[in-house]
Amino acid sequence: MRRSWTLDRPEPAYAKEEHQVDELVEHLANWKGPIGYDTETTGLELVGNNIVYFSFSTIAEGGPDDNRFFIERKWLEKFRPVLEDPTKAWVGSQIKYDANMTKNSGIWMPGDLMCTLTMDRMVDPKQQHGLKEAYEREFGEKMMSFAQTFYPKNKKGKPAKPKNMELYQIMQERFKEDPDRVIDYASLDAWAVLRLFWRLKEKLESVETWYGWDLFDVFLEFEVPFTRVLFHMEAQGVMLDKDYLHEIRQPIVDKINEVGAKLSKAAGWDLNPKSTPQLNKFLFEKLKLEPFKKTKTGAPSTDMEVMKRYASVGVEVVKLILEHRSLVKLLGTYVDGLLKWADANGRIHTTLNQHRADTTRLSSSDPNLQNQTRSGSA
């Protein structure tokens, strides 16, 4: 059953039987152009997750061939010769992620990794570069979100995530009930990203740079190799000094408790500095401070700007509140927050974003390693 929003998309092919898988492997092995690739995985973190389903697409530039394929994880090993072919070029939205998931599943992809997020940023850095946003902008067609496709509707008629279920578990349950829905959704990403690739290629080729190069030449010469470098960096990870963080953790906890005790003594009760109602009661009812500004609900604000103003005019307890907040952030973000991301080898596998900053510099996410405090500061 067709689930697509428009009628010009090819029907997905489900390689279910071994002979169908073998035919698809042969098709991909003989395919000379770039191949769309997308994975559905057990989670979004780069470490500890692997493939549940995967999809390919082949679209000939200006030709009649237009295909998308869906495959279950059990057949992944059959595709090793294709995925390990260094002459292949793989297209994806955040293709480094799919390459990492494939690596986690036991197969290393040495071919070119072509990221449409990066291509779209080169076309116009001010736009949103996600697959669904870029596809709708370029083709005027909506792609259904995961929630729209798989979540049941709540009493208000809106999609609501089932409790105690991971996204891949939701997809697996739907596959048992309605495999066509999963097949269409998963393979559509692989197809849409390759169609988007060809459109963005045209746009990049229309922009001349220097020495007869166009922007697509720049993409191939610089961005594609750089994507490979970033993939290796993500896979290698950043070494974390876990011993040092464990060493400083308890002194920070002790200091948080010490400052909290001082605040409770000043308040006259067991004050929770993280509680806005308790801070309001202490600052504005007991101490009778004049509110500098109010929240949307009309309550006195205790945000950072307000607290710094009180501290600047010599309100000592507010200085303690700011110290407490700083210590809590230091512990939660820079100690415990980093330790939870470390793998068994003490490495953090952050995502290095090639496409987010207008200045073309890198950004880091999950976790953000660019906002780390210097030693001794918060």
Side-chain angles (χ1 to χ4, degrees):
M1 180 184 297
R2 178 177 291 278
R3 301 286 182 181
S4 304
W5 285 45
T6 61
L7 298 178
D8 59 348
R9 301 173 183 178
E11 287 288 349
Y14 174 23
K16 184 178 181 180
E17 306 296 336
E18 186 169 11
H19 74 277
Q20 295 171 318
V21 171
D22 290 338
E23 289 173 3
L24 177 55
V25 169
E26 184 179 2
H27 170 70
L28 296 176
N30 293 328
W31 188 258
K32 301 304 181 184
I35 299 171
Y37 183 53
D38 185 72
T39 59
E40 309 297 336
T41 63
T42 55
L44 299 178
E45 292 80 18
L46 294 181
V47 173
N49 292 300
N50 48 63
I51 292 173
V52 179
Y53 307 112
F54 58 108
S55 301
F56 299 106
S57 70
T58 53
I59 304 174
E61 185 176 19
D65 293 300
D66 189 1
N67 306 283
R68 55 181 172 131
F69 309 93
F70 171 89
I71 310 97
E72 294 178 71
R73 162 63 191 267
K74 66 182 180 180
W75 297 116
L76 181 62
E77 187 62 30
K78 284 269 192 177
F79 292 86
R80 179 182 292 275
V82 174
L83 291 166
E84 290 185 343
D85 185 346
T87 69
K88 296 297 182 186
W90 305 100
V91 174
S93 178
Q94 193 60 283
I95 187 65
K96 292 190 284 84
Y97 168 82
D98 299 294
N100 267 297
M101 294 301 103
T102 308
K103 171 187 67 67
N104 293 350
S105 302
I107 298 176
W108 191 276
M109 299 172 65
D112 285 341
L113 303 175
M114 297 184 171
C115 181
T116 58
L117 295 169
T118 303
M119 295 176 74
D120 197 50
R121 189 260 296 163
M122 293 177 70
V123 170
D124 187 350
K126 295 181 175 60
Q127 299 287 352
Q128 290 185 307
H129 307 307
L131 173 59
K132 289 175 173 57
E133 294 86 356
Y135 186 87
E136 181 178 358
R137 187 174 66 248
E138 292 296 332
F139 300 106
E141 302 173 13
K142 286 184 177 293
M143 294 178 63
M144 294 178 71
S145 68
F146 187 95
Q148 288 173 314
T149 306
F150 298 114
Y151 288 179
K153 293 183 179 180
N154 58 22
K155 294 180 180 179
K156 296 181 180 180
K158 295 184 178 180
K161 183 179 181 293
K163 294 181 180 180
N164 303 319
M165 290 186 72
E166 299 295 333
L167 298 186
Y168 81 95
Q169 293 171 325
I170 296 172
M171 183 174 277
Q172 285 178 322
E173 286 299 310
R174 295 294 180 270
F175 189 70
K176 296 175 185 176
E177 303 164 0
D178 186 0
D180 287 340
R181 181 182 293 267
V182 176
I183 292 166
D184 185 68
Y185 175 86
S187 64
L188 184 59
D189 277 357
W191 178 83
V193 79
L194 188 54
R195 188 181 184 204
L196 180 64
F197 168 85
W198 289 120
R199 173 63 62 87
L200 296 176
K201 178 177 180 289
E202 290 178 6
K203 290 195 169 187
L204 292 175
E205 287 176 334
S206 70
V207 180
E208 294 184 3
T209 57
W210 62 89
Y211 302 117
W213 283 31
D214 57 48
L215 271 184
F216 188 68
D217 295 322
V218 175
F219 172 73
L220 293 179
E221 187 72 16
F222 297 103
E223 298 288 0
V224 172
F226 192 39
T227 300
R228 170 61 59 181
V229 171
L230 296 181
F231 164 73
H232 282 287
M233 292 173 65
E234 291 176 349
Q236 181 72 11
V238 178
M239 181 61 75
L240 184 68
D241 191 341
K242 296 173 67 175
D243 290 340
Y244 171 72
L245 292 181
H246 284 300
E247 178 184 333
I248 67 173
R249 187 184 188 281
Q250 191 57 49
I252 296 172
V253 171
D254 293 341
K255 188 64 176 178
I256 290 173
N257 293 334
E258 178 188 330
V259 174
K262 289 180 180 179
L263 286 169
S264 293
K265 183 178 180 180
W269 68 83
D270 189 12
L271 174 68
N272 178 5
K274 299 178 184 179
S275 169
T276 299
Q278 290 192 35
L279 285 180
N280 284 342
K281 180 180 178 182
F282 177 41
L283 297 175
F284 305 113
E285 294 182 21
K286 180 171 182 176
L287 300 184
K288 306 296 184 183
L289 295 180
E290 185 71 24
F292 283 128
K293 70 176 184 179
K294 294 187 177 182
T295 65
K296 292 180 180 179
T297 62
S301 174
T302 57
D303 66 18
M304 188 62 70
E305 176 190 356
V306 168
M307 293 293 97
K308 286 182 177 179
R309 288 184 66 181
Y310 287 129
S312 69
V313 296
V315 183
E316 294 301 319
V317 291
V318 173
K319 294 180 181 179
L320 288 176
I321 293 171
L322 288 174
E323 183 180 3
H324 189 274
R325 288 181 177 179
S326 177
L327 289 166
V328 168
K329 180 179 180 181
L330 181 64
L331 179 67
T333 303
Y334 304 112
V335 181
D336 292 345
L338 290 180
L339 286 170
K340 76 176 184 180
W341 284 100
D343 67 9
N345 298 314
R347 291 183 173 273
I348 294 178
H349 300 265
T350 184
T351 296
L352 298 170
N353 301 300
Q354 196 173 349
H355 65 283
R356 287 189 177 174
D358 290 350
T359 59
T360 71
R361 66 174 176 81
L362 290 176
S363 67
S364 168
S365 58
D366 300 322
N368 183 354
L369 294 183
Q370 293 179 299
N371 68 344
Q372 299 307 302
T373 179
R374 292 187 179 185
S375 178
S377 65

